[in-house]
Amino acid sequence: LPESLILYAYLSLEAAKPVDAMTSANTYLQHIPNGPLRDQAWSHVASAAAKTHDWTVADKAVSSLLSDHPESPLVSRTILNVAETAYETKHWQAAGRFFETLLSPGPDSPFHAAALSGLAWSKLQQMDYETASQRFQQFIKEHAGHDLAPEAGFMVGDALQRATKLKEAAAAFEEAYKKFAPHEQAFLAGLQAARLQARLKQIDDA
């Protein structure tokens, strides 16, 4: 039965057998081109490809989901899963690409905060510190009440410091301290602001 191919793909993913999952899902897509479970098949292909680090296949599967099944609830969940798999396996460029794709529906999407945070961290790992800082700033602006907002506030300063923009970093740490106190990340931001201000004073006095 066609449904058994999808079930087998799902069970193979759960059993950490991505190659078997991809084979089963692709068999469904090849033999039932207009089947009602195509969105699930493409989702399994994307997830399996991510597990095997085949980002070309993952890109194709995600593109097919977006173009052929834009209303499927599987689309965003699949992209997030692929992005997180890429990040966890230190494929930062691929992670950033998928996180950025997940931003497309806009801030009202329930996946937007996770996508924006993931993109910011991916840029940081790629040593694109200025872009990372901008994305963390965007997170604070669009998700100010989120649990991750204090961390994002700290990371704005951290990314700017890594970019050797010390004055901007000190100002960002101070802003995070004022905005998110008494959160622990705000306390750390306050400490870092004081350290950088002292360092900048030494530079000015030299």
Side-chain angles (χ1 to χ4, degrees), residues 5 22-35 38 41-42 45 60:
L5 291 169
M22 189 178 300
T23 299
S24 187
N26 276 326
T27 299
Y28 179 93
L29 291 167
Q30 291 166 6
H31 291 88
I32 313 168
N34 297 312
R38 283 179 60 83
W42 280 121
V45 169
K60 179 183 176 182

Side-chain angles (χ1 to χ4, degrees), residues 112-114 116-117 120 134-144 146-150 152:
H112 190 268
L116 190 51
S117 177
Q134 293 165 5
R135 290 301 191 174
F136 283 122
Q137 287 175 322
Q138 182 184 352
F139 186 97
I140 296 167
K141 179 180 179 181
E142 297 180 356
H143 302 284
H146 196 281
D147 289 345
L148 294 177

Side-chain angles (χ1 to χ4, degrees), residues 100-160:
E100 193 154 18
T101 298
L102 195 55
L103 289 177
S104 296
D108 293 335
S109 166
F111 298 93
H112 190 268
L116 190 51
S117 177
L119 178 58
W121 281 101
S122 296
K123 292 298 182 181
L124 190 79
Q125 296 291 355
Q126 293 178 72
M127 296 187 289
D128 185 354
Y129 299 129
E130 291 191 41
T131 302
S133 175
Q134 293 165 5
R135 290 301 191 174
F136 283 122
Q137 287 175 322
Q138 182 184 352
F139 186 97
I140 296 167
K141 179 180 179 181
E142 297 180 356
H143 302 284
H146 196 281
D147 289 345
L148 294 177
E151 177 185 66
F154 179 88
M155 291 308 300
V156 171
D158 183 86
L160 287 169

Side-chain angles (χ1 to χ4, degrees), residues 39-192:
D39 59 337
Q40 294 184 45
W42 280 121
S43 176
H44 293 327
V45 169
S47 297
K51 294 293 185 183
T52 59
H53 311 154
D54 190 336
W55 307 115
T56 300
V57 172
D59 277 324
K60 179 183 176 182
V62 165
S63 295
S64 294
L65 275 172
L66 287 168
S67 62
D68 299 342
H69 309 279
E71 303 303 321
S72 172
L74 285 175
V75 175
S76 293
R77 286 201 297 270
T78 299
I79 298 172
L80 180 61
N81 177 55
V82 171
E84 289 179 339
T85 298
Y87 189 90
E88 289 165 4
T89 54
K90 300 183 179 181
H91 290 83
W92 315 124
Q93 187 173 0
R97 188 169 68 252
F98 289 113
F99 280 127
E100 193 154 18
T101 298
L102 195 55
L103 289 177
S104 296
D108 293 335
S109 166
F111 298 93
H112 190 268
L116 190 51
S117 177
L119 178 58
W121 281 101
S122 296
K123 292 298 182 181
L124 190 79
Q125 296 291 355
Q126 293 178 72
M127 296 187 289
D128 185 354
Y129 299 129
E130 291 191 41
T131 302
S133 175
Q134 293 165 5
R135 290 301 191 174
F136 283 122
Q137 287 175 322
Q138 182 184 352
F139 186 97
I140 296 167
K141 179 180 179 181
E142 297 180 356
H143 302 284
H146 196 281
D147 289 345
L148 294 177
E151 177 185 66
F154 179 88
M155 291 308 300
V156 171
D158 183 86
L160 287 169
Q161 185 175 356
R162 293 175 190 238
T164 67
K165 294 193 169 186
L166 301 187
K167 289 184 180 180
E168 293 91 334
F173 280 127
E174 186 171 2
E175 183 179 349
Y177 172 72
K178 292 177 180 177
K179 187 176 184 67
F180 297 111
H183 194 280
E184 180 183 359
Q185 291 288 343
F187 173 71
L188 295 174
L191 287 176
Q192 197 62 12

